């Protein structure tokens, strides 16, 4: 007789991060669990079903883990109102985790009892600071060396879904529920541009709303989408150059060589050309997707991994097809 775990049936993977060495993948789910997978074992010619299971699984937060991020030494995990730091050295030793290395609290400045979710984190390499955005509508900047928040950027009128850094220009970009992509000067903390994507006729999709769920940059170019269609923008002219005819809301996108990869409300990874054409839609196991990660930390373990409304994380060794799935 087969027994099914109800928790697995309702699991969603929200976040992923590769270890600094590129040999391990961390994934966070809606139950507050972090799974550590060995890519070396899973990609081995001698791999078995056991090789596709976590080498370590532990509860990191009481609620969903919306964001994971790796530094040179630590895995940072973010949930509702808190950020935790875990030593990659200890995680790789496969020891049972019981105590966090560091524990940061992050509470809303609003006058209510609600603790905001933390949706996005990124490192700003210019000053080695941690940039955090979430449910209190603000961007918080943490000094990683001292573990203390040093500034707050105000401007969004609703909660923040995504953050990225434009390192060469010293800029932070953020997308929110208010439909705006804000560009911030990281040195002064001032918002220098506000792009209301939903007001552009070619991008607008009122049936999906105006929220921005993903934003990423590559030099002078920006990708953003959510309620509005996924679109490519030239940041010097602050104008859209391509709009991608993808169905549903896109939750994450990435530049890859001369293509754009995107995932969202559908069981596939979309491959798009910079001119706006959809080149391919590669089938995946989850019926909708939340997270997409490219492993650039190791040439030997260079893979694409995607996760969503399933306990499975699909692994692509070749972007044209799914090679296998890891699973909680």
């Amino acid at each position: 007789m087969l027994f099914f775990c109800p928790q697995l049936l309702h699991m969603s993977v929200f976040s992923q991060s590769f270890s600094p060495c590129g040999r391990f993948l961390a994934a966070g789910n809606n139950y507050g669990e972090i799974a550590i997978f060995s890519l070396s074992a899973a990609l081995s010619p001698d791999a078995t079903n056991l090789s596709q299971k976590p080498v370590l699984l532990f509860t990191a937060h009481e609620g969903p883990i919306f964001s994971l991020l790796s530094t040179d030494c630590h895995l940072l995990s973010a949930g509702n109102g808190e950020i935790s730091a875990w030593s990659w050295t200890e995680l790789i030793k496969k020891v049972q985790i019981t105590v966090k290395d560091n524990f940061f609290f992050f509470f809303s400045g609003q006058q209510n009892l609600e603790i905001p979710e933390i949706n996005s984190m990124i490192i700003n390499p210019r000053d080695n600071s941690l940039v955090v955005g979430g449910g209190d509508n603000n961007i918080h900047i943490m000094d990683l060396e001292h573990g203390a928040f040093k500034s707050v950027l105000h401007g969004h009128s609703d909660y923040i879904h995504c953050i990225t850094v434009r390192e060469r220009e010293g800029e932070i970009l953020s997308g929110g529920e208010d439909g705006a992509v804000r560009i911030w000067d990281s040195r002064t903390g001032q918002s220098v541009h506000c792009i209301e994507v939903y007001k552009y006729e070619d991008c607008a999709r009122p049936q999906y709303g105006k929220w921005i769920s993903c934003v990423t940059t590559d030099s002078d170019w920006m990708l953003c989408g959510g309620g509005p269609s996924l679109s490519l923008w030239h940041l010097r002219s602050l104008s859209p150059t391509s709009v991608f005819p993808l169905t549903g809301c896109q939750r994450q996108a990435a530049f890859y060589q001369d293509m754009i990869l995107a995932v969202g409300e559908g069981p596939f990874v979309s491959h798009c050309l910079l001119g706006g054409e959809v080149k391919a839609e590669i089938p995946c196991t989850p019926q909708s997707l939340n997270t997409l990660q490219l492993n650039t930390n190791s040439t030997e373990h260079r893979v694409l991994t995607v996760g969503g409304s399933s306990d499975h994380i699909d692994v692509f060794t070749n972007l044209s097809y799914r090679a296998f799935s890891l699973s909680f």
Side-chain angles (χ1 to χ4, degrees):
M1 182 181 294
L2 294 176
F3 294 92
F4 294 97
C5 175
Q7 184 167 310
L8 291 179
L9 292 176
H10 300 287
M11 186 175 291
S12 288
V13 176
F14 286 132
S15 51
Q16 302 178 89
S17 184
F18 292 103
S19 63
C21 65
R23 295 186 292 114
F24 295 87
L25 171 69
N29 67 22
N30 55 320
Y31 297 114
E33 296 174 327
I34 293 177
I36 307 296
F37 299 94
S38 169
L39 294 176
S40 302
L43 293 168
S44 166
D46 303 320
T48 64
N49 288 339
L50 191 61
S51 307
Q52 298 166 4
K53 290 290 186 180
V55 296
L56 179 64
L57 177 66
F58 63 99
T59 300
H61 298 271
E62 291 185 1
I65 299 173
F66 297 111
S67 183
L68 288 172
L69 177 67
S70 288
T71 68
D72 290 340
C73 302
H74 289 89
L75 173 68
L76 305 182
S77 61
N80 288 321
E82 62 183 25
I83 300 171
S84 300
W86 316 87
S87 164
W88 266 114
T89 301
E90 295 302 314
L91 294 174
I92 289 170
K93 285 179 182 175
K94 303 184 226 177
V95 298
Q96 185 59 44
I97 300 297
T98 56
V99 180
K100 303 174 181 69
D101 285 358
N102 296 291
F103 198 69
F104 307 130
F105 283 98
F106 169 63
F107 290 107
S108 170
Q110 300 170 349
Q111 297 302 309
N112 58 42
L113 298 177
E114 184 178 351
I115 298 174
E117 61 187 44
I118 300 171
N119 294 320
S120 186
M121 302 184 292
I122 195 165
I123 300 291
N124 186 353
R126 288 181 73 94
D127 58 2
N128 195 37
S129 61
L130 178 66
V131 185
V132 179
D136 71 343
N137 312 345
N138 300 318
I139 295 172
H140 298 253
I141 312 295
M142 172 185 276
D143 182 336
L144 278 177
E145 185 178 349
H146 298 98
F149 287 101
K150 60 182 184 178
S151 60
V152 183
L153 311 185
H154 304 278
H156 282 281
S157 61
D158 211 332
Y159 58 87
I160 295 167
H161 287 290
C162 48
I163 293 175
T164 192
V165 169
R166 197 173 173 215
E167 183 182 355
R168 191 180 65 189
E169 282 72 20
E171 293 175 341
I172 297 167
L173 282 76
S174 57
E177 188 74 12
D178 56 5
V181 173
R182 285 190 174 269
I183 303 176
W184 311 80
D185 186 326
S186 64
R187 292 155 293 199
T188 65
Q190 298 300 308
S191 176
V192 292
H193 298 291
C194 179
I195 304 170
E196 294 178 299
V197 182
Y198 65 96
K199 291 186 177 179
Y200 289 76
E201 185 177 354
D202 290 343
C203 303
R205 297 188 301 181
Q207 69 273 29
Y208 293 119
K210 62 182 183 180
W211 60 297
I212 300 297
S213 55
C214 61
V215 61
T216 189
T217 61
D218 183 7
S219 185
D220 290 334
W221 299 93
M222 173 185 76
L223 273 174
C224 65
S229 296
L230 185 70
S231 50
L232 179 66
W233 293 66
H234 187 246
L235 287 173
R236 292 192 182 276
S237 62
L238 296 178
S239 58
T241 61
S242 300
V243 178
F244 303 95
L246 301 172
T247 57
C249 300
Q250 302 307 300
R251 299 192 181 111
Q252 197 159 5
F255 291 95
Y256 179 72
Q257 296 179 352
D258 58 349
M259 284 195 311
I260 287 162
L261 307 176
V263 296
E265 294 178 349
F268 45 77
V269 179
S270 298
H271 294 188
C272 303
L273 302 179
L274 298 177
E277 302 85 1
V278 179
K279 180 180 179 182
E281 292 182 334
I282 310 302
C284 295
T285 305
Q287 290 305 295
S288 67
L289 298 169
N290 300 318
T291 171
L292 169 153
Q293 288 288 312
L294 284 158
N295 187 7
T296 57
N297 296 345
S298 166
T299 53
E300 186 181 353
H301 307 92
R302 185 159 290 178
V303 293
L304 167 72
T305 56
V306 299
S309 59
S310 166
D311 63 311
H312 285 66
I313 299 165
D314 287 350
V315 179
F316 297 77
T317 53
N318 179 314
L319 293 185
S320 301
Y321 62 88
R322 179 184 67 88
F324 59 88
S325 295
L326 306 169
S327 67
F328 276 77

